[in-house]
Amino acid sequence: MTATYDVDGLVAVVTGGASGIGAATCRLLSDNGATVAVLDVNGEAAVSVAASLTGEARGFAVDVADSAAVRGAMGDVVRAFGRIDIAVNNAAIARHGAVADLSDEVWREVLAIDLDGVFYCMKAQIDAMLRTGGGSIVNLASTVGFVAIKGLSAYLAAKHGVVGLTRIGAVDYARSGIRVNAVAPGRIETPQLLADVTPEVTIEDLADRCPMGRLGDPDEVAHVIAFLASRASSFMTGAVVSVDGGYLAGAGR
Ligand SMILES: NC(=O)c1ccc[n+]([C@@H]2O[C@H](COP(=O)([O-])OP(=O)(O)OC[C@H]3O[C@@H](n4cnc5c(N)ncnc54)[C@H](O)[C@@H]3O)[C@@H](O)[C@H]2O)c1
């Protein structure tokens, strides 16, 4: 797929950039001329993705659930590249369990990474962007930021929260040159999704639940992220854009 995005010369931070949608986003932003900071709890994989990019890039190890570590990592990015223009808050984990089956520990683990992590990242990124006149933040929500899929209680609550953080960030910083949008992917073929495949639920079952009858490719999400990150979406803020093959438009399963 060829497409160009107006991100040339901008500095981008991508959390969870070592795998799946995050890695595809790093590649696309880099191919379009952005400098890319690849952040991931798996520091080795982040360094290796950064080394594979076409433009200037560096990998950083950070656990987004650790507020001080996030502040430190965003500071390292500013020291390395001078500013943060684009931030893609993509790192997340998914765990299964209906409310009564979920341990407090799993609830905390998911909320700490998937919701607290986005809050910590936005806080540090907004601080940096306010100093340089603005920027564009893109958060990764999900179809389950809007509708329920059985058994995903903690992940679903976190993604509803990410939709809320996106909207409030957009409104609070609309006059400071900072735009905050989100993408809401449906089922995309990545390591996270493949963890959902069991003897009872095959990959074909998951594809069949999508009106298009297939899973999405990480690049198909990365293109929407790159557009929202770019100067071309300059009047968009507070939007949550579905990239789900029609899932939310239909009844959803
Ligand atoms: N794949 C899907 O079907 C799908 C659907 C809807 C939403 N999403 C969302 O898209 C985003 C990317 O998902 P993906 O499918 O590419 O996942 P993935 O598992 O392929 O990649 C997630 C990355 O996040 C990193 N990560 C995990 N915990 C972290 C932490 N504490 N700190 C820093 N990095 C951490 C992992 O090491 C990994 O590199 C996530 O926010 C996910 O919830 C994915």
Side-chain angles (χ1 to χ4, degrees):
M1 210 184 301
T2 54
T4 56
Y5 298 95
D6 189 3
V7 296
D8 190 33
L10 301 181
V11 175
V13 170
V14 180
T15 72
S19 172
I21 294 167
T25 302
C26 290
R27 274 193 298 277
L28 193 56
L29 292 174
S30 181
D31 287 350
N32 282 274
T35 295
V36 180
V38 184
L39 273 57
D40 205 284
V41 72
N42 183 345
E44 227 170 90
V47 168
S48 140
V49 167
S52 74
L53 300 179
T54 48
E56 190 175 7
R58 195 181 295 181
F60 298 83
V62 65
D63 176 355
V64 295
D66 179 338
S67 173
V70 167
R71 219 173 21 253
M74 296 302 165
D76 289 344
V77 173
V78 172
R79 269 185 294 283
F81 300 127
R83 53 197 292 126
I84 296 174
D85 302 301
I86 293 169
V88 181
N89 294 319
N90 164 82
I93 58 167
R95 298 281 183 269
H96 289 262
V99 170
D101 301 330
L102 206 69
S103 70
D104 295 356
E105 289 70 31
V106 172
W107 169 267
R108 221 11 12 252
E109 181 193 19
V110 174
L111 270 289
I113 296 172
D114 295 7
L115 184 58
D116 298 356
V118 175
F119 167 67
Y120 299 146
C121 286
M122 283 178 65
K123 214 168 139 163
Q125 293 153 357
I126 288 168
D127 261 359
M129 288 174 177
L130 286 175
R131 275 182 258 120
T132 53
S136 176
I137 297 175
V138 184
N139 294 328
L140 268 289
S142 167
T143 47
V144 303
F146 294 102
V147 296
I149 294 180
K150 279 170 79 115
L152 274 175
S153 52
Y155 180 75
L156 187 138
K159 291 300 185 183
H160 273 65
V162 170
V163 170
L165 269 178
T166 300
R167 290 179 174 148
I168 194 62
V171 168
D172 283 344
Y173 295 96
R175 296 196 182 205
S176 307
I178 299 173
R179 298 185 297 112
V180 188
N181 293 289
V183 295
R187 291 191 172 93
I188 311 298
E189 201 162 356
T190 71
Q192 185 182 105
L193 177 90
L194 296 177
D196 287 352
V197 176
T198 62
E200 294 77 42
V201 182
T202 65
I203 203 152
E204 289 74 23
D205 295 332
L206 294 177
D208 186 49
R209 293 173 192 178
C210 168
M212 280 192 179
R214 67 173 177 87
L215 303 178
D217 183 272
D219 280 334
E220 294 179 303
V221 183
H223 279 278
V224 181
I225 295 171
F227 167 69
L228 290 172
S230 79
R231 300 175 182 102
S233 58
S234 51
F235 198 51
M236 286 182 77
T237 196
V240 186
V241 182
S242 302
V243 188
D244 63 3
Y247 188 90
L248 274 186
R253 287 196 280 154

